[in-house]
Amino acid sequence: MSAVNLSSSARTGLSVLRSVADQMEVTQKRLATGKAVNSPIDNVSKFFTAASMDSRASTLDALMDNISSAHTSVKAASEGVKGIQGLIKVARGLATEALGADATKRTALMGQFNTLRTEMAQLADDAGINGTNLLKGNSITVLLNEDGTSKTTIAGTNITDTLVTAASAWGTGTDAAQVTAIGASITALDNAEESLKTAATAFSSSLATINTRKDFNTALSNLLKTGSNDLTAADMDQEAANLMALQTRQQMAATALSIMQSSESTALRLLR
């Protein structure tokens, strides 16, 4: 089958239509994605620079999950410390009252004291998050940047160990023995409170470090995403105007091609 020969004008018209169609496809893609650079073909330098920035931002976002988890664990431990400190004040008051009480009242106060001590231990047990409990001696190592060159370790403390007292001996033995047992309980509470103060100070310092890095990483991630977008973003107003202009050109080219075909048909009818 022989090829159909088109006139020079018809070929030009078809070429224009194809060119306009290709340009419209690019413009429509930019409008749909909001990006002027969607592949290396569009702009090699901008594409790979933006991809690198997006990759780093994604890494920082993933890092933020671990930082946020550590932040939550430290906050839980800090709240646990506050709760236990409040119970220690009440328990110390009971022990001090027991020093001047008779045997019967001491026995009653001992029961209240032991209830508080049990609640302190339970509060410490409940201060864990996702299996990590800084008040049960667990520690957390938090990576603060992508390559791990910046990190901090949050050391836990086993509060339960410092809450073991001689309270069970309050209501037994001689008066002197009971006073000694109560004194041992007060000493144990004082030691526990000191441990809690030390832990609270360490937790506050760790929180300050984590919060500072959390804010920095969030800001840096946003900057990277903004920078990537600035490199590849399309001017939506310009692209919309381009699309309208291309649609007009397409209509004009189609009309011109139609006119040329009509002229050729008229010429053929004259030759018949």
Side-chain angles (χ1 to χ4, degrees), residues 33-54:
T33 62
K35 292 185 176 183
V37 180
N38 288 287
S39 71
I41 297 175
D42 297 325
N43 188 305
V44 174
S45 177
K46 287 185 177 182
F47 178 82
F48 285 109
T49 300
S52 176
M53 295 171 78
D54 285 334

Side-chain angles (χ1 to χ4, degrees), residues 94-102 106 109 175 178-183 186:
L94 292 175
T96 301
E97 184 180 354
L99 288 174
D102 57 33
R106 279 179 182 170
L109 291 172
D175 184 69
Q178 291 182 38
V179 169
T180 299
I182 294 170
I186 293 174

Side-chain angles (χ1 to χ4, degrees), residues 142-153:
V142 188
L143 300 181
L144 302 176
N145 64 358
E146 308 98 298
D147 58 10
T149 55
S150 177
K151 59 185 176 181
T152 184
T153 298

